[in-house]
Amino acid sequence: MTMALTLHPPDTWQIRPGDYTLRGTVMIPGDKSISHRALMLGALAEGETEIRGLLLGDDPRSTAACFQALGANISELSSDVVMVQGAGTLQEATDILDAGNSGTTLRLMLGILASQPGKFYAVTGDSSLRGRPMKRVVQPLQAMGATIWGRSQGKLAPLAIQGQTLKPIHYQSPIASAQVKSCILLAGLHTPGTTTITEPTLSRDHSERMLQAFGANLVVDTELCQVKITGPGQLRGQQVTVPGDISSAAFWLVAAAITPGSELFLPNVGVNPTRTGVLEVLEAMGAKIAIENFRIVTGEPVADLRVCSSSLQATVIEGNILPRLIDEVPILAVAAAFAQGTTVIRDAAELRVKESDRLQAIATQLGRMGVKVTELADGLEITGGSSLQGVEVDSWGDHRMAMSLAIAGLQAQGITTIQRGAAATVSYPNFTESLEAVLQS
Ligand code: S3P
């Protein structure tokens, strides 16, 4: 059997066209959001935290390295078991803390560092992260009394933080962002009194679930999209089992849906309702997805997913569902390219400040492949049904773009060459191996 995918060198992917079907089982790597939080809360807790199913991507590795530098004892990273011996109080790191490509690492860590009295920290990230907005967390932390300096009046990393005892606030966030919410909650954990955060619509709630499990005094009002945390609180180490990441499962859901004759089984995927927008949109487009064996695993809803190919119809993606599928827009754009009619995506301006400007990245790269796509200020219009051309495209150094383009390339006429494909290791280190394993021709 010829390989459908070759790596030239490992950073450039080449997808050869073929008469493929996708069949079999894909084990989905651990949820990235939950992996970060398990490492961070484990590092802050008293006693031991045992993490099973941790994502071994670059982003959680950045979190682990930062918290090790802050004094936590973290065993060698493994998707089997990782032990975290909490530091209780974090020490000053002897060097700049580097969050790499990971916005979650940097923004959540800022809330923790700003609330460590008497300690000084410096934080940075890679060139993508240094261009992403930090004001969204720096401003509410400053309202709590935090002292933070950085480029562009503290709007951009590198940032320097003089930790101190903060004061509680009620923060009305203008955006539904779990990174903003979690940053404030983690600052509130160490702050005497009750810190409240209200968001315009509900963003992913992994922090709330895990903070409660670790013993924080935290109350959620889902109707009001409001969370209150009363500090100072001391977390206690827990056992955490990380489910498969629905954002990673999304590549297979779309790949199987658009490839005739396909059927994939995806066991053990997190189906937290704040993350399942992708399932609702794909079902509305006519995808055949079965959700089986629903259960709760360490406070998070989990299920096995089964997906078969089907013909897809265009849809409209707008409003409150956006935060529930924000990371899946690149692969949903690929689904739209194979659906009948014009799919409209609105209210998605947040995509401009992700690992890349994803609206522009999708529009230009899918456009090169022959997809009819118009970039809107806050979204995309994609007309499906025209045949895709295998050409040279670029991931823009963005993991989700790399994998979305690979799935699109499977159906293109001619070879698709994806520059900077290796960006996928941020969230999905063995994506290419899993793709080879389920491709049948
Ligand atoms: C994340 C929140 C989301 C998401 C990101 C992970 C998290 O970002 O896009 O990949 O783990 O809290 P925002 O909070 O900026 O929307």
Side-chain angles (χ1 to χ4, degrees), residues 242-313:
V242 182
D245 196 325
I246 193 167
S247 299
S248 299
F251 299 106
W252 308 113
L253 294 175
V254 172
I258 64 175
T259 310
S262 298
E263 180 172 345
L264 289 176
F265 180 56
L266 315 173
N268 188 39
V269 177
V271 287
N272 180 315
T274 60
R275 298 283 301 280
T276 47
V278 64
L279 298 179
E280 288 159 41
V281 165
L282 286 174
E283 275 163 8
M285 293 177 84
K288 289 189 192 141
I289 301 172
I291 302 171
E292 300 169 357
N293 192 16
F294 180 91
R295 62 232 186 238
I296 302 289
V297 179
T298 51
E300 287 280 350
V302 177
D304 303 335
L305 306 181
R306 200 179 289 279
V307 54
C308 303
S309 55
S310 56
S311 59
L312 299 183
Q313 306 300 320

Side-chain angles (χ1 to χ4, degrees), residues 32-33 37 104 107 136 176-179 204 326-327 354:
K32 183 157 75 68
S33 294
R37 287 156 171 82
T104 307
R107 296 198 178 110
R136 55 182 58 200
S177 159
Q179 292 180 359
R204 63 191 68 190
I326 193 71
D327 292 338
K354 293 294 177 188

